[in-house]
Amino acid sequence: RHKEVITALAVALLAAWWALSLLAHAVDGHIAVGARQPYALMAGLSACLLLLFYLPYSAIAARLATVSFTVYLYHVLGTAGMRWILQSFGVDSLAIHVSLGIAAGIIVPVAIHAAASRWTITRQLILGCKPRPVERAAPAAPPIPVEQPKAHAVLASGRRQD
């Protein structure tokens, strides 16, 4: 029951965000994308709630989780680089900047992680990872002494002597 109520609230907040964005665009010709805008908070919380309820596990997100720290550290290289490239070609479309910026902000750090993971020194300096432990062969176990059966002397009468 709570899931339906929270879902309805999240969808309503997303709709309110969309309406406020369109209103802001109609008034001054652009969409304010400041992080401190209340409708940006509404949109972010609503999207997170909807994803949490309807997409609790994602294989893509699980694969990106292993490189999430690298994405956090180096996403600026991808996003700023893409913005610089798009501006140098004269592209000023917000949709293109956002979509390609997000893609570059993920792809560039993943490539950095893949390249830096190959060597211990780059793994430590660039990724901040601990060196991989050196796997050594386990020492050979000492041989287990096996008692040899005693040789029994056979008496002339044919009986064994113990």
Side-chain angles (χ1 to χ4, degrees), residues 52-68:
L52 182 65
F53 284 147
Y54 294 104
L55 195 61
Y57 177 80
S58 168
I60 295 171
R63 292 185 79 187
L64 284 175
T66 59
V67 295
S68 62

Side-chain angles (χ1 to χ4, degrees), residues 120-132:
T120 302
I121 190 74
T122 56
R123 192 172 26 260
Q124 287 179 300
L125 293 176
I126 296 174
L127 303 179
C129 296
K130 293 180 180 178
R132 291 182 184 155

Side-chain angles (χ1 to χ4, degrees), residues 51-159:
L51 284 173
L52 182 65
F53 284 147
Y54 294 104
L55 195 61
Y57 177 80
S58 168
I60 295 171
R63 292 185 79 187
L64 284 175
T66 59
V67 295
S68 62
F69 186 64
T70 308
V71 172
Y72 168 72
L73 288 177
Y74 297 111
H75 73 276
V76 175
L77 296 177
T79 55
M82 182 57 68
R83 181 175 183 211
W84 182 78
I85 290 169
L86 291 174
Q87 284 179 342
S88 68
F89 284 110
V91 178
D92 61 350
S93 169
L94 178 64
I96 292 174
H97 273 265
V98 169
S99 59
L100 292 180
I102 289 172
I106 295 171
I107 291 170
V108 168
V110 169
I112 290 171
H113 189 90
S117 293
R118 295 177 186 244
W119 301 281
T120 302
I121 190 74
T122 56
R123 192 172 26 260
Q124 287 179 300
L125 293 176
I126 296 174
L127 303 179
C129 296
K130 293 180 180 178
R132 291 182 184 155
V134 177
E135 293 185 23
R136 298 179 185 183
I144 299 173
V146 178
E147 287 188 32
Q148 299 294 329
K150 294 179 184 177
H152 300 288
V154 179
L155 300 175
S157 64
R159 286 201 236 156

